[in-house]
Amino acid sequence: MAGTTPHGTTPDGTTAHRTDRRGTAPRTNPRRTTVGIVGGGPAGLLLARLLHRAGVDCVVLESRERAYVEQRQRAGILEQGTVDALRESGAAGRLDREGIVHEGIELRWERRGHRIDFPELTGGRKVWVYAQTEVVRDLIALQLADGPPLLFGATVREITGADTDRPVVHYTHEGRERTLECDYVAGCDGFHGVTRAAIPEQHRVSHERVYPYSWLGILADVAPSCDELIYAHSRRGFALHSMRSATVSRLYLQVPNGTDPAEWSDERIWDELDARFAVDGDWKLRRGPITSKSVLPMRSHVTEPMRWGRVLLAGDAAHIVPPTGAKGLNLAASDVIVLARALAHLHRTGDADLLAAYSDTCLRRVWRAEHFSWFMTTTLHTDPQQSEFQTRLQLSQLGRIASSPHAAAELAENYAGLPIG
């Protein structure tokens, strides 16, 4: 592959490794760093924290202002491996105090429910309910207190020299055009970011599936009606009951693509949730004031490779998953954990083998997560063109999970998170 060479060498065969031994960089508009991180979301911030603790110099450039970044509503489920990484980075103090530990989920279909016990099926692994907004706030606070530079309002325009040993990030900050010379650039700037374009179009391949439905998500000021998440299959469409805290519920309804949230009154939303969560027994859905409504389109997307020369993609810059499998944030975290290990190993030893394998290592996990997310999505949602035959296949699959420890373990192992690396 043109522009990519093994063992951290440049195209002319010279050694690529040049670590800045200072361990820190100037806090305002530095001109040079070891790792330039484009994007100050959870992936970029976690990578910066892991690199900082490993003594690897880095700078984070985030296009939005701090207030916006800290208020973005995103995922709320953290896998065991993500929690372990946050603890390792020193960013899990509030998570350990306030996060809600979940040891399973409930599947519902045709008025019956079945619980999947994660620790029993995975050898002790579990998940945590802790909103991505809170993860970001925790990481930002640490970064600003004692971490490497984090620049808000720094809009990256392009990355040049990706296949050289000195890629340059071109960005605008405080009304001025600036550059940041790096040994490596980590693209953590999401699906609509610019770093993916640093990989020449003729050398990158994209795979995509767009689903024929979306999610209408709500936040409600009401205590959750369940102790663990409920995933409901219904002939009326999918529904999910999650939570943000002991007093705030997060719920989702499958809706047609292009739905306007304003078309759904609060009463209509609660009535539809009631119908889709219906189960035999005395369970009751609690209703309360809805404080937020939004529609989330659903798609799967993978860009290959995740490395080109000195540019490495992570998180949504490289892949998107439908949210049904709770993989988005966790897959981004696994990318940067692998990347941080590789860069730290290079820093300690001068050996770039782990870095050379970064794309292949990550893509194995990416495709597993894509498959699991596709499986959860197509098993639980009702396609607008779905036949009764397809519905019966879904019901058969749900029955198999409920009756087979092996099928249940496959779901639990993927949901709670496979080993990273």
Side-chain angles (χ1 to χ4, degrees):
M1 184 171 65
T4 302
T5 53
H7 307 296
T9 57
T10 62
D12 64 4
T14 59
T15 301
H17 179 47
R18 298 188 331 279
T19 301
D20 185 339
R21 298 292 178 177
R22 293 174 300 165
T24 60
R27 298 199 65 81
T28 304
N29 296 116
R31 295 177 180 272
R32 177 79 178 86
T33 191
T34 304
V35 183
I37 300 173
V38 182
L45 292 168
L46 179 57
L47 176 60
R49 194 67 193 165
L50 293 171
L51 292 177
H52 177 62
R53 291 173 72 89
V56 179
D57 189 33
C58 63
V59 174
V60 182
L61 304 175
E62 166 56 45
S63 63
R64 301 285 192 165
E65 297 300 331
R66 179 180 180 181
Y68 179 91
V69 175
E70 292 187 332
Q71 292 171 9
R72 283 186 290 209
Q73 292 291 334
R74 293 291 189 272
I77 300 294
L78 305 182
E79 293 177 2
Q80 180 81 59
T82 303
V83 171
D84 292 345
L86 289 168
R87 287 171 174 162
E88 178 187 345
S89 71
R94 198 157 63 93
L95 164 63
D96 284 331
R97 294 192 303 272
E98 301 176 14
I100 305 170
V101 178
H102 279 193
E103 297 189 347
I105 59 173
E106 181 183 342
L107 300 178
R108 285 190 184 177
W109 69 100
E110 295 199 318
R111 303 189 67 87
R112 64 178 291 196
H114 178 78
R115 181 174 183 269
I116 306 294
D117 187 311
F118 293 158
E120 179 181 315
L121 294 164
T122 65
R125 298 175 74 81
K126 57 193 76 168
V127 299
W128 280 253
V129 174
Y130 191 69
Q132 177 173 313
T133 50
E134 305 307 320
V135 173
V136 167
R137 287 169 186 160
D138 295 342
L139 288 167
I140 286 175
L142 281 172
Q143 186 89 348
L144 295 179
D146 70 353
L150 166 58
L151 277 62
F152 293 104
T155 304
V156 174
R157 296 182 289 104
E158 65 173 337
I159 293 95
T160 58
D163 58 350
T164 73
D165 65 345
R166 293 188 180 182
V168 178
V169 180
H170 302 261
Y171 69 101
T172 304
H173 187 238
E174 297 178 339
R176 296 182 59 185
E177 300 297 321
R178 305 179 187 273
T179 59
L180 178 65
E181 185 181 283
C182 313
D183 285 350
Y184 296 93
V185 176
C188 304
D189 51 345
F191 184 78
H192 299 290
V194 302
T195 52
R196 187 167 60 248
I199 302 176
E201 186 174 357
Q202 67 270 29
H203 293 294
R204 69 176 190 264
V205 178
S206 292
H207 311 273
E208 185 171 61
R209 172 170 181 174
V210 177
Y211 294 85
Y213 34 71
S214 300
W215 278 9
L216 171 62
I218 66 166
L219 280 172
D221 284 339
V222 61
S225 307
C226 50
D227 295 325
E228 297 171 336
L229 273 66
I230 301 172
Y231 287 77
H233 173 281
S234 164
R235 291 173 185 267
R236 304 172 68 100
F238 169 76
L240 170 61
H241 193 319
S242 183
M243 64 280 294
R244 283 295 178 263
S245 70
T247 59
V248 177
S249 294
R250 181 72 159 155
L251 302 105
Y252 299 93
L253 284 169
Q254 176 188 337
V255 294
N257 286 340
T259 293
D260 182 349
E263 298 171 356
W264 285 75
S265 68
D266 291 7
E267 183 178 12
R268 182 187 177 192
I269 290 171
W270 288 117
D271 287 347
E272 190 63 26
L273 287 166
D274 254 331
R276 297 189 192 184
F277 285 125
V279 65
D280 292 335
D282 58 2
W283 183 87
K284 184 175 177 59
L285 178 66
R286 296 188 181 116
R287 300 188 178 203
I290 294 175
T291 60
S292 171
K293 300 177 189 177
S294 60
V295 170
L296 174 67
M298 304 182 70
R299 67 172 177 267
S300 301
H301 183 98
V302 179
T303 293
E304 298 179 320
M306 289 174 60
R307 174 183 177 179
W308 176 262
R310 296 299 190 89
V311 172
L312 305 107
L313 305 180
D316 288 0
H319 42 71
I320 300 285
V321 291
T324 326
K327 289 285 153 264
L329 170 59
N330 294 295
L331 198 53
S334 69
D335 288 346
V336 299
I337 291 166
V338 171
L339 181 53
R341 288 175 182 169
L343 289 166
H345 182 70
L346 175 63
H347 175 75
R348 290 192 311 270
T349 69
D351 181 353
D353 282 357
L354 293 181
L355 201 56
Y358 169 75
S359 182
D360 290 342
T361 300
C362 287
L363 283 169
R364 285 194 294 271
R365 186 181 179 89
V366 165
W367 280 111
R368 176 88 299 275
E370 290 284 356
H371 183 271
F372 177 67
S373 299
W374 167 86
F375 165 78
M376 291 287 285
T377 301
T378 56
T379 299
L380 291 165
H381 290 71
T382 303
D383 190 301
Q385 306 301 319
Q386 187 164 306
S387 67
E388 181 62 19
F389 179 85
Q390 292 168 304
T391 300
R392 293 300 184 95
L393 291 179
Q394 291 175 319
L395 297 175
S396 174
Q397 181 61 55
L398 290 166
R400 168 70 176 168
I401 293 169
S403 63
S404 167
H406 300 291
E410 177 71 9
L411 190 156
E413 287 171 357
N414 281 274
Y415 194 102
L418 299 171
I420 297 173

